[in-house]
């Protein structure tokens, strides 16, 4: 071998040497940006290619679709009401009264002899009998309140018309003369959702965020413990730094979760709009994007804490104990949102809590959906959440770096910080 052309073996610390023509050898250390990007892409590819991701996302979309179709399946058509030969003259008036009440009935003429049999077989829900001025209602068990009201209203109108005619007054002319004039309505504020719709909006916004925070956060924590137990993390940390590994894993899971979150949120909003099951905010697209921003902030905040907690143990059996405090931080805003926002979304306590992390990533998006959050409150909550994210991520990174290579008994937070 020619000594002039021979090279000494390189140690791992000597991989920064320049190769021919000033280029770097393949073993050169990665930049922080490239290292984080590689880990993030690895997480995205490994998670999106799993059957659990594909079938899980498809299953959630299927559940949304079935929920939207339930009202259509529940509609079995209007109830059929029979009219005997004496009450047949009431048909136009009964149909008009039912339309005014917003109810759907189909009125059909039947014979008095076969009416009871049709009621017993379920072909008729009720039968109207008797003269128009004093009709009766025959049912199998109990009378439908809306139908009973329609029959009463019709009977009263028929009796009024008869009395007017006997008095020599034209009922149509009287109705034109005393009819209610058109009243113009001016609303100072747009109509708000009712209690039921408000509850659904709060449950949908807080529930979706809570579901993804818990599901993806625990998935990330389990992945950290799995890499420790299989010694994969030792191989990874021989090339990159602990904070780069933590940042890449968190960002990768966040990207996958954000895609699922926006997909499900968009599908849910589209179904609500097309089916009319729920009145959504005017700017649905902007609201969905705002929820996406809060999802990223909240997930990065909670995921860093969960990953740091998971790094303190080496077995899946010990994971539940160390992540429990973080799970409480995620669950508390969700429970408070359901209790306080559905009771009074303008309550001072909910306004103040929605400004402060870790409550803001769950409570503020719900207040935005309900339209009760002012612009300055949203801006302040975002600023405080960003500051908390920076501080807690630095702390979580130190705990993760000090404990991720430890195997054995669970480390305390103080020991993890001291080992760094």
């Amino acid at each position: 071998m020619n000594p002039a052309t021979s090279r000494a073996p390189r140690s791992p610390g000597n991989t920064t040497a320049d190769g021919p023509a000033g280029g770097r050898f393949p073993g050169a250390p990665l930049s922080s940006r490239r290292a984080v990007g590689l880990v993030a892409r690895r997480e995205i590819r490994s998670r999106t290619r799993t059957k659990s991701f594909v079938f899980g996302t498809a299953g959630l979309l299927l559940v949304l679709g079935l929920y939207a179709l339930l009202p259509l399946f529940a509609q079995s058509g209007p109830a059929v009401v029979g009219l005997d030969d004496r009450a047949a003259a009431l048909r136009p008036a009964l149909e008009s009264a039912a339309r005014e009440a917003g109810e759907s009935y189909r009125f059909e003429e039947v014979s008095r002899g076969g009416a009871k049999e049709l009621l017993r077989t379920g072909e008729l829900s009720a039968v109207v009998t008797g003269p128009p001025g004093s009709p009766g209602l025959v049912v199998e068990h109990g009378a439908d309140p809306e139908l009973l009201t329609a029959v009463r209203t019709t009977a009263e109108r028929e009796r009024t018309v008869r009395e007017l005619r006997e008095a020599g007054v034209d009922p149509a002319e009287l109705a034109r003369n005393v009819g209610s004039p058109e009243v113009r309505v001016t609303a100072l504020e747009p109509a708000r959702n009712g209690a039921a719709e408000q509850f659904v909006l709060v449950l949908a916004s807080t529930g979706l965020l809570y579901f993804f925070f818990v599901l993806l956060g625990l998935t990330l924590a389990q992945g950290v413990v799995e890499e420790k137990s299989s010694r994969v993390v030792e191989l990874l940390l021989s090339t990159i730094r602990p904070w780069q590994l933590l940042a890449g894993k968190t960002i990768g899971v966040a990207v996958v979760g954000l895609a699922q979150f926006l997909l499900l949120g968009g599908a849910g909003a589209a179904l609500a709009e097309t089916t009319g099951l729920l009145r959504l905010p005017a700017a649905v697209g902007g609201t969905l994007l705002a929820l996406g921003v809060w999802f990223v902030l909240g997930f990065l905040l909670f995921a860093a804490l969960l990953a740091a907690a998971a790094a303190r143990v080496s077995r899946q059996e010990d994971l539940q104990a160390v992540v429990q405090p973080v799970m409480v931080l995620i669950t508390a805003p969700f429970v408070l949102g359901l209790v306080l926002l559905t009771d009074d979304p303008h309550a001072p306590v909910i306004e103040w809590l929605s400004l402060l992390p870790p409550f803001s990533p769950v409570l503020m998006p719900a207040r935005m959906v309900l339209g009760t959050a002012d612009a300055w409150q949203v801006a302040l909550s975002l600023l405080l959440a960003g500051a908390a994210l920076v501080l807690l991520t630095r702390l979580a990174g130190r705990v993760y770096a000090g404990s991720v290579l430890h195997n054995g008994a669970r480390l305390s937070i103080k020991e993890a910080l001291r080992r760094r």
Side-chain angles (χ1 to χ4, degrees):
M1 179 181 293
N2 188 353
T5 60
S6 64
R7 294 183 182 271
R10 286 187 175 81
S11 64
N14 194 33
T15 56
T16 58
D18 289 335
R24 289 192 178 277
F25 287 101
L30 298 172
S31 65
S32 297
R33 180 178 178 182
R34 181 168 173 76
V36 172
L38 286 174
V39 176
R41 285 194 291 272
R42 168 179 171 265
E43 287 291 326
I44 293 172
R45 285 196 301 266
S46 62
R47 295 185 184 279
T48 55
R49 292 176 179 177
T50 60
K51 293 182 179 179
S52 60
F53 173 82
V54 176
F55 290 112
T57 305
L60 290 173
L61 289 173
L62 180 61
V63 169
L64 280 176
L66 291 176
Y67 176 76
L69 293 175
L70 279 179
L72 300 179
F73 290 117
Q75 296 175 357
S76 56
V80 181
V81 178
L83 302 172
D84 68 8
D85 52 356
R86 292 179 297 172
L90 290 176
R91 182 170 184 171
L94 285 171
E95 291 175 345
S96 176
R99 284 195 300 269
E100 291 176 4
E103 300 296 331
S104 179
Y105 297 105
R106 189 170 80 247
F107 297 94
E108 295 183 355
E109 297 181 19
V110 296
S111 63
R112 272 183 281 179
K116 292 183 179 180
E117 185 63 27
L118 293 175
L119 281 173
R120 291 192 179 97
T121 59
E123 296 183 45
L124 294 178
S125 58
V127 177
V128 181
T129 64
S134 56
L137 193 62
V138 181
V139 296
E140 185 177 10
H141 298 294
D144 185 356
E146 288 77 14
L147 177 60
L148 187 58
T149 300
V151 174
R152 285 174 176 169
T153 301
T154 302
E156 291 172 359
R157 290 176 180 176
E158 289 293 323
R159 191 174 303 168
T160 302
V161 170
R162 185 181 60 190
E163 294 293 334
L164 288 173
R165 285 175 177 168
E166 291 179 356
V169 179
D170 185 1
E173 184 178 355
L174 179 64
R176 287 193 299 268
N177 293 334
V178 302
S180 300
E182 189 69 24
V183 178
R184 186 178 64 236
V185 178
T186 303
L188 297 179
E189 294 182 4
R192 293 177 179 171
N193 292 304
E197 288 185 326
Q198 183 171 288
F199 176 78
V200 173
L201 283 174
V202 172
L203 180 61
S205 56
T206 60
L208 195 60
L209 288 169
Y210 173 75
F211 172 77
F212 275 98
F213 288 162
V214 171
L215 178 65
L216 297 177
L218 288 179
T219 301
L220 177 64
Q222 291 170 355
V224 170
V225 178
E226 183 180 348
E227 288 180 350
K228 284 190 64 174
S229 60
S230 63
R231 302 298 180 93
V232 172
V233 67
E234 298 177 8
L235 178 62
L236 293 173
L237 292 183
S238 66
T239 307
I240 60 177
R241 296 178 179 178
W243 74 265
Q244 294 171 342
L245 177 59
L246 176 61
K249 289 178 67 66
T250 306
I251 292 174
V253 176
V255 170
V256 175
L258 180 61
Q260 282 185 301
F261 179 83
L262 293 178
L263 178 62
L264 292 174
L271 287 172
E273 287 285 341
T274 54
T275 58
L277 295 176
L278 189 64
R279 185 168 60 238
L280 298 177
V284 178
T287 303
L288 192 59
L289 289 178
L291 289 177
V293 171
W294 278 110
F295 167 82
V296 172
L297 277 175
F299 176 75
L300 292 179
L301 178 66
F302 294 125
L305 296 177
L306 287 170
R312 294 165 49 207
V313 298
S314 303
R315 301 186 309 161
Q316 296 286 354
E317 294 81 359
D318 302 326
L319 181 61
Q320 184 65 30
V322 294
V323 301
Q324 192 62 37
V326 185
M327 297 305 298
V328 172
L329 291 179
I330 303 175
T331 305
F334 172 66
V335 175
L336 287 173
L338 286 182
V339 174
L340 299 179
L341 283 173
T342 54
D343 180 47
D344 182 10
H346 297 278
V349 62
I350 203 68
E351 291 183 354
W352 283 107
L353 285 176
S354 65
L355 299 176
L356 305 174
F359 300 98
S360 55
V362 176
L363 296 182
M364 184 55 73
R367 291 188 61 212
M368 292 172 63
V369 171
L370 293 176
T372 61
D374 295 330
W376 71 268
Q377 293 175 334
V378 177
L380 180 58
S381 63
L382 285 171
L383 181 63
L384 293 177
L389 176 62
V390 173
L391 293 176
L392 291 179
T393 301
R394 288 178 64 87
L395 176 62
R398 292 184 61 186
V399 173
Y400 179 85
S403 55
V404 70
L405 290 178
H406 171 76
N407 286 298
R410 180 176 65 187
L411 280 178
S412 67
I413 296 178
K414 183 183 296 186
E415 290 173 332
L417 291 173
R418 187 165 51 241
R419 287 167 59 92
R420 181 174 180 273

